[in-house]
Amino acid sequence: MDYQDQIARAAALIKESTGFYGLTGAGISTESGIPDFRTPGEGIWEKVDPITTSSVEVLQNNPRLFYESAFNRFASITLAEPHEGHYALAKMEQMGFLKGLVTQNIDGLHVKAGSRNIWEVHGHLRSGYCQGCKKRYSFEELVHQVELKRIPPICRNCFDVLRPDVVLFGDPMPPLFYEAEETLRNNCDLMLVAGSSLVVYPVAYLPRLAKRLIIINLMPTEYDHIAEIVIREKCSKALQDLVEKLAAGE
Ligand code: NAD
């Protein structure tokens, strides 16, 4: 099958489906200027092991290191903007095709692009909270304190250390992950996975809940052998072409 046939076949599967869901990873946001973890030569993992800075252990034992390394990377991510691929997924939802979207990304770009039924299962960068009393803060408040060199940022209420609303290495998965898992288990007959290497568990287990799989990725993934269609193209182009094909046939 050539690329155009793959897009046509994917659109046909989506139209037949009664439970079409999406799953995205860091690869969908590389075209918005945010490096992923595993792309050879560019992924974050080749420069620094994120476990040594983005973990609960570091936040608790060396909060200054967490805020001077991982947090700076998080703060720079908030400046990114969505691209055609993020907008295409939002459009598929508005058109009534996509029932929901699970993302591993913390960048919030799907929300910025207009996706509504979304599970950000690794958290996001819109807010934070106090590790001690759990008082909630905006993410900007954390950034503001760091800019004022109050590192780590501290709770006004109990003076414990603040943290962003992201799932760090060593954190348990949030309840909304299990909600997404349950919804997929009961409803998903087709899943589109865009820009994920599918090696980070437990999220990488979710495609097993779908009856059929479409994968968009520039590189091979762990699930290519069981996918119905594997599209080797950039997320921006493939998702835009797919939404245009869906719109053309409406
Ligand atoms: P990953 O880095 O393991 O895999 C990214 C995949 O996307 C790779 O297989 C790569 O080939 C592919 N890819 C890269 N650019 C692409 C493009 N333009 N089009 C199509 N495919 C492309 O990412 P992962 O599977 O999401 O797992 C990494 C973990 O890192 C996740 O848990 C996530 O929370 C976190 N993370 C998030 C961000 C973010 O929020 N943007 C960035 C880095 C890491």
Side-chain angles (χ1 to χ4, degrees):
M1 252 197 289
D2 71 9
Y3 174 72
Q4 290 306 336
D5 291 339
Q6 287 183 317
I7 293 293
R9 175 86 184 113
L13 286 183
I14 290 170
K15 283 180 182 166
E16 276 170 28
S17 161
T18 52
F20 171 47
Y21 290 82
L23 170 62
T24 62
I28 194 174
S29 294
T30 55
E31 294 171 80
S32 288
I34 305 171
D36 63 7
F37 272 174
R38 290 180 188 78
T39 290
E42 291 161 25
I44 292 168
W45 219 289
E46 287 198 2
K47 296 178 183 117
V48 55
D49 177 351
I51 297 172
T52 60
T53 56
S54 309
S55 68
V56 180
E57 201 190 334
V58 174
L59 177 64
Q60 279 165 4
N61 297 333
N62 191 350
R64 177 167 278 275
L65 173 65
F66 174 83
Y67 273 95
E68 286 176 345
S69 52
F71 187 79
N72 278 338
R73 181 167 66 81
F74 295 161
S76 68
I77 288 176
T78 61
L79 304 174
E81 292 296 331
H83 60 66
E84 294 86 343
H86 298 100
Y87 288 113
L89 286 168
K91 186 85 198 284
M92 284 183 212
E93 184 184 339
Q94 285 153 20
M95 291 164 88
F97 291 116
L98 192 71
K99 301 289 184 281
L101 183 60
V102 180
T103 188
Q104 304 173 74
N105 297 342
I106 58 171
D107 55 39
L109 293 183
H110 290 301
V111 172
K112 276 191 189 171
S115 285
R116 289 289 166 263
N117 195 10
I118 179 155
W119 293 281
E120 295 173 307
V121 296
H122 288 169
H124 56 75
L125 299 170
R126 295 183 293 276
S127 54
Y129 63 94
C130 169
Q131 292 196 106
C133 71
K134 312 295 180 210
K135 180 176 162 61
R136 302 203 55 77
Y137 289 85
S138 69
F139 187 76
E140 288 73 30
E141 168 69 23
L142 276 63
V143 172
H144 182 62
Q145 289 204 33
V146 169
E147 280 171 355
L148 293 175
K149 305 278 183 248
R150 283 187 212 140
I151 300 174
I154 295 297
C155 178
R156 284 192 294 273
N157 202 26
C158 72
F159 308 106
D160 207 332
V161 173
L162 303 184
R163 60 163 291 176
D165 259 319
V166 299
V167 177
L168 301 172
F169 291 101
D171 269 327
M173 292 299 278
L176 65 82
F177 169 77
Y178 298 99
E179 182 191 305
E181 184 189 26
E182 190 62 13
T183 303
L184 294 174
R185 191 189 303 285
N186 293 330
N187 302 294
C188 179
D189 65 358
L190 177 66
M191 182 182 284
L192 168 68
V193 183
S196 176
S197 59
L198 293 174
V199 297
V200 178
Y201 280 83
V203 171
Y205 156 78
L206 297 178
R208 297 208 178 275
L209 301 174
K211 292 193 180 68
R212 290 170 138 176
L213 216 49
I214 302 168
I215 291 177
I216 300 173
N217 199 306
L218 291 172
M219 309 266 295
T221 79
E222 299 290 310
Y223 281 74
D224 287 4
H225 64 291
I226 56 163
E228 197 117 345
I229 306 171
V230 178
I231 302 175
R232 285 270 172 272
E233 184 49 86
K234 288 184 175 173
C235 287
S236 60
K237 175 169 170 49
L239 289 168
Q240 199 177 10
D241 288 345
L242 190 52
V243 85
E244 279 172 14
K245 184 60 92 181
L246 288 168
E250 263 192 326

